Amino acid sequence: METIINYFSNMPTAHRTFLLVGGLAFFWMVESAVPLFKLKYNKWKHALINIFFTLTTALINLLFAFILVKSSDWVVANNFGIIQWIDMPVWLYAIVGLLLLDLIGAWLVHYVEHRVKWMWKFHLIHHTDQNVDTTTANRHHPGESIFRFVFTTIAVFIVGTPMWMVFLYQTLSLVFTQFNHSNVNMPNWLDDALSLVICSPNMHRVHHHYRMPYTDSNFGNIFFFWDRMFGTYIKVDNKKLKYGVDTYMGEKDANDLVTMLKIPFQRYRPTPKYNKEEKL
């Protein structure tokens, strides 16, 4: 455990970059070899759009990193936060910290983005992708990247996390989001086994179906617990899914960078009314 703490306390920027690029490359190759959907799209053009948003997220995190570092240093120095107040072994300290960071910094902000209209207009850029693959993982409007940074910082104060734990959480979050967005055709038995602990691809893809109530389900990123605990878990046959978001199914909405950057500042489009509820 001490080795893990030391590594993430001094994690080189080059290693974080390698995880981002290496993870995308790895899952890209896997989903190309065993795809769930044989998507008919220009994979490179699609990837470049999503990589643009990946870079804007990285830039925002870099610009505000000092806030995260100062916050983490403060909670440790002042013995502030849940895990600072409870005496426990280091391994349990790490597990509890990661669980709570995932709850607040990933699940909760994601849930709120689906409930607050002005936040949803930023987040829906992630949902406009009609060809979900591993590059979709980091397709977040710059405005949404700020929301997520704010919630992560709040989580640091509530949980009381040292910086090594924040880096460990961010590393796991990066890898898992690339994994559970990947267009990989996994055997059901393997996916079911994984989803007892983590958010598997079959679990998360449901969230990218273009219609409600599926869009408002399966918000998790690393751990599966939160959706089952809060009643937002839905399981369906992934092969019946249709990606996108029903209010923005146009070509420009999904594939034009300038249009996507403008969407949050345009008038809100309410969910269309359907004659009957869809059952997948």
Side-chain angles (χ1 to χ4, degrees), residues 142-172:
E144 183 187 2
S145 297
I146 294 174
F147 303 156
R148 289 178 175 260
F149 180 87
V150 169
F151 270 75
T152 299
T153 305
I154 291 171
V156 167
F157 279 102
I158 294 173
V159 182
T161 48
M163 203 59 214
W164 69 264
M165 192 179 293
V166 176
F167 282 146
L168 175 57
Y169 162 69
Q170 289 180 330
T171 299
L172 290 174

Side-chain angles (χ1 to χ4, degrees), residues 8-270:
F8 284 101
S9 295
N10 304 284
M11 189 179 185
T13 302
H15 288 198
R16 294 198 290 272
T17 303
F18 175 78
L19 280 169
L20 172 62
V21 177
L24 284 175
F26 174 75
F27 290 118
W28 183 312
M29 289 188 291
V30 174
E31 68 185 11
S32 296
V34 284
L36 174 67
F37 292 113
K38 294 182 179 179
L39 301 170
K40 297 178 180 178
Y41 67 113
N42 186 322
K43 197 170 176 74
W44 279 102
K45 180 180 179 181
H46 174 261
L48 287 173
I49 291 172
N50 291 342
I51 288 171
F52 168 82
F53 287 113
T54 301
L55 294 175
T56 60
T57 297
L59 179 59
I60 286 168
N61 287 339
L62 181 64
L63 289 173
F64 293 110
F66 74 96
I67 296 175
L68 207 56
V69 172
K70 292 292 184 183
S71 300
S72 181
D73 289 346
W74 186 89
V75 297
V76 172
N78 292 276
N79 197 39
F80 187 88
I82 294 171
I83 63 175
Q84 299 292 338
W85 298 329
I86 303 173
D87 187 28
M88 64 183 90
V90 176
W91 63 268
L92 184 57
Y93 175 80
I95 291 173
V96 172
L98 288 172
L99 283 168
L100 292 175
L101 281 173
D102 185 53
L103 172 62
I104 302 168
W107 191 92
L108 181 60
V109 64
H110 198 176
Y111 180 85
V112 170
E113 286 172 339
H114 278 250
R115 292 294 183 271
V116 179
K117 288 181 180 179
W118 64 268
M119 294 178 75
W120 166 247
K121 290 199 295 180
F122 286 91
H123 176 57
L124 69 82
I125 306 307
H126 181 65
H127 283 267
T128 58
D129 198 335
Q130 296 169 21
N131 297 289
V132 174
D133 64 17
T134 190
T135 67
T136 309
N138 302 109
R139 178 187 173 114
H140 297 293
H141 191 282
E144 183 187 2
S145 297
I146 294 174
F147 303 156
R148 289 178 175 260
F149 180 87
V150 169
F151 270 75
T152 299
T153 305
I154 291 171
V156 167
F157 279 102
I158 294 173
V159 182
T161 48
M163 203 59 214
W164 69 264
M165 192 179 293
V166 176
F167 282 146
L168 175 57
Y169 162 69
Q170 289 180 330
T171 299
L172 290 174
S173 181
L174 173 65
V175 173
F176 273 93
T177 197
Q178 291 175 343
F179 169 59
N180 59 40
H181 283 87
S182 61
N183 182 37
V184 176
N185 187 15
M186 295 180 63
N188 287 333
W189 65 266
L190 177 57
D191 196 280
D192 289 344
L194 291 174
S195 64
L196 293 174
V197 181
I198 63 174
C199 294
S200 67
N202 282 6
M203 181 179 179
H204 186 74
R205 288 191 198 104
V206 180
H207 181 76
H208 282 272
H209 186 63
Y210 82 113
R211 274 184 62 175
M212 298 279 282
Y214 305 99
T215 308
D216 277 3
S217 69
N218 301 7
F219 296 101
N221 183 32
I222 298 177
F223 299 108
F224 86 99
F225 310 106
W226 314 124
D227 285 300
R228 300 194 187 219
M229 185 181 296
F230 297 113
T232 53
Y233 174 67
I234 297 177
K235 182 177 181 178
V236 302
D237 179 354
N238 277 202
K239 291 182 179 178
K240 295 180 180 179
L241 299 174
K242 179 180 178 180
Y243 295 138
V245 57
D246 53 9
T247 49
Y248 290 87
M249 295 298 284
E251 173 65 23
K252 283 193 171 184
D253 297 331
N255 298 305
D256 184 81
L257 195 55
V258 175
T259 299
M260 285 187 280
L261 289 169
K262 290 179 179 178
I263 284 174
F265 309 102
Q266 297 171 350
R267 178 176 291 186
Y268 173 77
R269 297 182 191 177

